[in-house]
């Protein structure tokens, strides 16, 4: 077997001088820097700790912690040890975690120290063998235990088709699906992006994204590690602080919300961006106004790309020439990616016509964890993955996303499936039914709004529903506003006409 362990390839990208700075934590309050040797040694100790637990190969290691460099080392350690990394959004609440643990059956669960009381019992009851804590200030039992282990470790050989990570996506029917990504999926995509985006000696990445999602964990981190480029690391995104560090950096990756917030900073100027080489946006549509405002203010054209948990990156606007980057489009397919648009009967559509986007390539995932039927449904007979996104390809090969066939709201770069939120609302006392939609929001792209119909005679209060939801689901899924109405608009087939609700509340957040 040719060893294709992703860690080996990332490690090969580290610079020869391991004592150089790999990560400069910008918001730790005091100087906090990690060398390449720290990443190497820290991930080795954690990998040795995992090895000492005698877990079966490909054990799932579920992680719900705050962002920290040690959490990044843990990801690297899981790769080294040949297990499967399972990052969980740190906004997920107990009931959501319970589902993920039940579904993925992890052998190890690592949580924030503050969640230990709440989540450890649940994890042990569900058969998880080991629960560790990891704080964002280098505290917790995980590091305490790792400190007893050797700081050298030989990565476990893995084939390209072996599982490296599972990323849970929200399910359209309310159930999340675990997208299974292999070492080969992640490495092939990382290599393509390294070349395509012109990663070069001297690059410095500002890393201000969460590391439980494809964008921050894979696209940003792999780029920097594979290229041996230091990162300026923000545990939390703070627009003022990030803008203040732009003069030290060359690459920035963000979701559109981050760009909107940075534009509100007067310190964002051409001078501040003088050293910058590349601004990348993705995970949600970048408004053309933001694209243009950014160019006006900084002189840089944001490069928009498109991808998803199941496929990593699929398309990208060109790197060179910068003038070839087109606002409102996500660019042509990346090298190695086949992308086509077909109608709902599976007929290929000519350039410019709108249909379902389907993709194939070495980056496309292996399937949904323990959901063979769902996986089969989402692939065509000739093995293209149906992304669920609706779009068109123009004559020059540029792809434009126009909507989503799956009923999905993207708020601040996070996906919210209305069906899931509706399911939780409908279980609240006094609620007969509900409809959740996304409407334009100047800061988040889309804001979640719910319309709730009370049971006859029941008194239902929108603010009380919001409060109840906050204890049940991640905050980003909670509607910003809940409207109580006597009935939902429906079409002749009885389907809720969400388009009418979107129109009704379309200007709710305008001008905020
Ligand atoms: P996730 O799996 O959380 O990364 O979400 C993937 C979804 O985000 C895709 O299926 C698209 O609907 C959406 N998405 C990602 N990038 C873009 C983009 N540049 N423009 C529009 N939608 C995007």
């Amino acid at each position: 077997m040719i060893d294709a362990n992703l860690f080996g390839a990332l490690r090969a990208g580290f610079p020869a001088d391991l004592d150089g700075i790999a990560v400069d934590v910008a918001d730790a309050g005091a100087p906090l820097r990690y060398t390449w040797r720290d990443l190497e040694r820290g991930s080795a100790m954690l990998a040795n700790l995992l090895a000492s637990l005698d877990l079966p190969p490909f054990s799932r290691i579920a992680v719900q912690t705050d962002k920290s460099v040690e959490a990044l080392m843990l990801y690297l350690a899981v790769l080294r040890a040949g297990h499967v990394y399972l990052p969980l959004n740190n906004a997920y609440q107990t009931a959501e975690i319970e589902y993920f643990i039940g579904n993925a059956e992890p052998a190890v669960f690592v949580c924030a120290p503050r969640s230990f009381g709440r989540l450890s019992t649940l994890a042990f009851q569900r058969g998880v063998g080991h629960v560790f804590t990891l704080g964002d200030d280098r505290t917790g039992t995980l590091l305490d235990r790792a400190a007893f282990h050797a700081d050298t470790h030989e990565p476990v050989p893995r084939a390209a088709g072996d599982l490296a990570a599972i990323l849970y996506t929200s399910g359209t029917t309310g159930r999340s699906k675990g997208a299974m990504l292999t070492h080969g999926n992640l490495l092939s995509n990382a290599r393509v992006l390294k070349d395509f985006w012109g990663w070069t000696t001297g690059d410095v990445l500002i890393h201000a994204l969460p590391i439980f999602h494809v964008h921050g964990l894979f696209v940003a981190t792999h780029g920097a590690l594979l290229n041996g480029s230091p990162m300026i690391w923000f545990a939390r995104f703070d627009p003022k602080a990030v803008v203040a560090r732009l003069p030290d950096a060359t690459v920035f990756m963000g979701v559109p919300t981050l760009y909107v917030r940075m534009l509100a900073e007067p310190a964002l100027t051409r001078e501040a961006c003088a050293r910058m080489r590349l601004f990348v946006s993705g995970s949600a549509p970048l408004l053309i106004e933001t694209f243009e405002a950014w160019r006006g203010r900084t002189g840089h054209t944001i490069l928009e790309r498109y991808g998803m948990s199941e496929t990593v990156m699929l398309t990208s606007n060109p790197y060179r020439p910068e003038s070839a980057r087109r606002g409102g489009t996500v660019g042509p397919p990346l090298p190695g990616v086949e992308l086509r648009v077909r109608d709902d009967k599976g007929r290929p559509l000519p350039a410019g016509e709108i249909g379902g986007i389907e993709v194939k390539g070495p980056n496309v995932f292996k399937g949904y964890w323990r959901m063979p039927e769902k996986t089969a449904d989402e692939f065509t007979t000739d093995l293209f993955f149906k992304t669920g996104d609706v779009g068109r390809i123009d004559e020059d090969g540029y792809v434009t996303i126009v909507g989503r066939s799956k009923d999905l709201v993207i708020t601040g770069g996070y996906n919210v499936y209305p069906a899931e939120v509706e399911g939780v609302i409908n279980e609240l006392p006094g609620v007969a039914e509900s409809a959740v939609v996304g409407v334009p929001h100047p800061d988040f792209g889309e804001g979640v709004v719910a319309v709730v119909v009370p049971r006859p005679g029941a008194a239902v209060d929108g603010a009380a529903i919001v409060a109840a939801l906050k204890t049940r689901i991640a905050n980003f899924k909670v509607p910003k506003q809940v409207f109580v109405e006597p009935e939902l608009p429906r079409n002749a087939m009885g389907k809720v006409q969400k388009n009418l609700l979107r129109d009704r509340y379309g200007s709710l957040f305008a001008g905020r």
Side-chain angles (χ1 to χ4, degrees):
M1 173 179 93
I2 300 169
D3 182 26
N5 188 318
L6 170 64
F7 176 79
L10 297 175
R11 175 66 184 80
F14 287 18
D17 177 12
L18 289 181
D19 293 317
I21 300 299
V23 188
D24 173 8
V25 183
D27 53 1
L32 177 61
R33 298 196 179 94
Y34 296 78
T35 62
W36 295 97
R37 194 181 305 283
D38 292 333
L39 293 188
E40 161 64 24
R41 290 182 56 228
S43 60
M45 291 160 91
L46 289 162
N48 284 322
L49 165 60
L50 292 173
S52 76
L53 304 176
D54 267 337
L55 310 173
F58 302 106
S59 289
R60 275 76 58 210
I61 313 296
V63 179
Q64 189 194 33
T65 62
D66 293 328
K67 181 176 174 183
S68 69
V69 179
E70 288 71 23
L72 174 63
M73 291 180 189
L74 176 58
Y75 164 57
L76 298 177
V78 172
L79 296 176
R80 289 181 92 140
H83 294 304
V84 178
Y85 193 66
L86 198 168
L88 295 166
N89 188 327
N90 50 8
Y92 285 140
Q93 301 288 330
T94 311
E96 293 161 307
I97 297 294
E98 188 169 10
Y99 168 74
F100 295 123
I101 291 182
N103 187 254
E105 300 186 59
V108 176
F109 181 54
V110 182
C111 65
R114 65 172 179 283
S115 322
F116 182 76
R118 183 166 56 91
L119 297 179
S120 60
T121 320
L122 184 154
F124 287 130
Q125 279 167 352
R126 297 240 160 208
V128 177
H130 309 270
V131 179
F132 296 103
T133 59
L134 175 61
D136 60 359
D137 53 356
R138 284 155 285 135
T139 57
T141 57
L142 184 80
L143 301 180
D144 293 348
R145 285 282 300 276
F148 290 99
H149 290 273
D151 63 359
T152 56
H153 174 273
E154 197 54 43
V156 173
R158 284 289 175 254
D162 284 342
L163 205 51
I166 297 179
L167 291 197
Y168 274 90
T169 68
S170 302
T172 37
T173 55
R175 275 185 75 198
S176 281
K177 297 166 288 183
M180 299 191 286
L181 293 155
T182 64
H183 287 263
N185 292 149
L186 297 174
L187 181 55
S188 63
N189 206 240
R191 287 197 164 130
V192 165
L193 294 178
K194 174 171 154 54
D195 292 342
F196 199 80
W197 290 344
W199 280 91
T200 180
T201 316
D203 266 336
V204 178
L205 170 76
I206 292 192
H207 194 304
L209 289 162
I211 54 168
F212 49 70
H213 182 262
V214 49
H215 199 166
L217 181 63
F218 299 147
V219 184
T221 316
H222 291 171
L225 296 179
L226 202 56
N227 195 54
S229 300
M231 295 188 250
I232 299 175
W233 181 268
F234 285 86
R236 277 159 290 275
F237 173 73
D238 170 358
K240 197 181 287 308
V242 169
V243 169
R245 292 304 299 271
L246 287 174
D248 305 324
T250 64
V251 182
F252 176 81
M253 299 189 190
V255 298
T257 308
L258 304 196
Y259 286 98
V260 172
R261 294 209 178 151
M262 286 160 75
L263 276 166
E265 292 299 323
L268 180 76
T269 58
R270 277 176 186 252
E271 296 69 50
C273 299
R275 198 181 153 195
M276 287 297 297
R277 178 175 73 74
L278 180 62
F279 288 98
V280 176
S281 175
S283 298
L286 180 74
L287 294 179
I288 196 85
E289 298 92 88
T290 313
F291 176 85
E292 278 166 4
W294 193 268
R295 187 151 58 190
R297 273 284 277 292
T298 68
H300 288 269
T301 307
I302 297 175
L303 177 153
E304 185 169 6
R305 96 295 181 280
Y306 155 63
M308 57 202 305
S309 302
E310 289 92 334
T311 64
V312 218
M313 295 304 102
L314 292 165
T315 73
S316 169
N317 268 282
Y319 174 57
R320 289 270 183 259
E322 201 169 315
S323 59
R325 298 178 197 165
R326 293 190 199 156
T329 85
V330 294
L334 283 161
V337 175
E338 288 178 73
L339 185 149
R340 68 188 185 194
V341 172
R342 300 206 302 173
D343 69 10
D344 49 13
K345 302 206 171 51
R347 289 176 300 219
L349 290 170
E353 287 199 25
I354 292 172
I357 296 177
E358 300 176 351
V359 296
K360 194 188 236 181
N363 51 311
V364 175
F365 74 139
K366 214 174 169 166
Y368 293 111
W369 170 258
R370 291 187 181 161
M371 289 187 182
E373 293 88 24
K374 186 76 200 158
T375 302
D377 284 353
E378 302 292 332
F379 281 87
T380 62
T381 45
D382 57 348
L383 301 179
F384 275 73
F385 172 60
K386 301 181 216 166
T387 62
D389 290 311
V390 176
R392 59 169 192 271
I393 313 179
D394 69 18
E395 300 283 353
D396 308 330
Y398 282 61
V399 177
T400 303
I401 315 275
V402 299
R404 296 177 289 271
S405 63
K406 297 167 189 167
D407 188 12
L408 173 73
V409 178
I410 303 187
T411 180
Y414 293 128
N415 292 358
V416 178
Y417 281 91
E420 184 195 5
V421 183
E422 288 157 10
V424 181
I425 296 179
N426 295 349
E427 283 176 9
L428 296 175
V431 174
E433 61 172 354
S434 62
V436 167
V437 293
V439 298
H441 189 291
D443 200 9
F444 296 111
E446 288 183 286
V448 180
V449 171
V451 176
V452 172
V453 178
R455 289 183 191 281
V460 165
D461 169 18
I465 290 187
V466 169
L469 290 176
K470 282 194 169 159
T471 65
R472 289 171 170 80
I473 51 177
N475 217 25
F476 66 85
K477 300 179 191 168
V478 175
K480 303 223 174 309
Q481 219 152 319
V482 172
F483 295 94
V484 179
E485 293 189 6
E487 59 181 7
L488 297 176
R490 288 178 189 279
N491 68 13
M493 304 300 291
K495 278 171 87 69
V496 178
Q497 291 168 295
K498 290 199 168 177
N499 53 330
L500 298 184
L501 295 177
R502 279 186 214 107
D503 291 345
R504 193 175 302 166
Y505 296 109
S507 54
L508 186 65
F509 302 116
R512 285 205 184 177

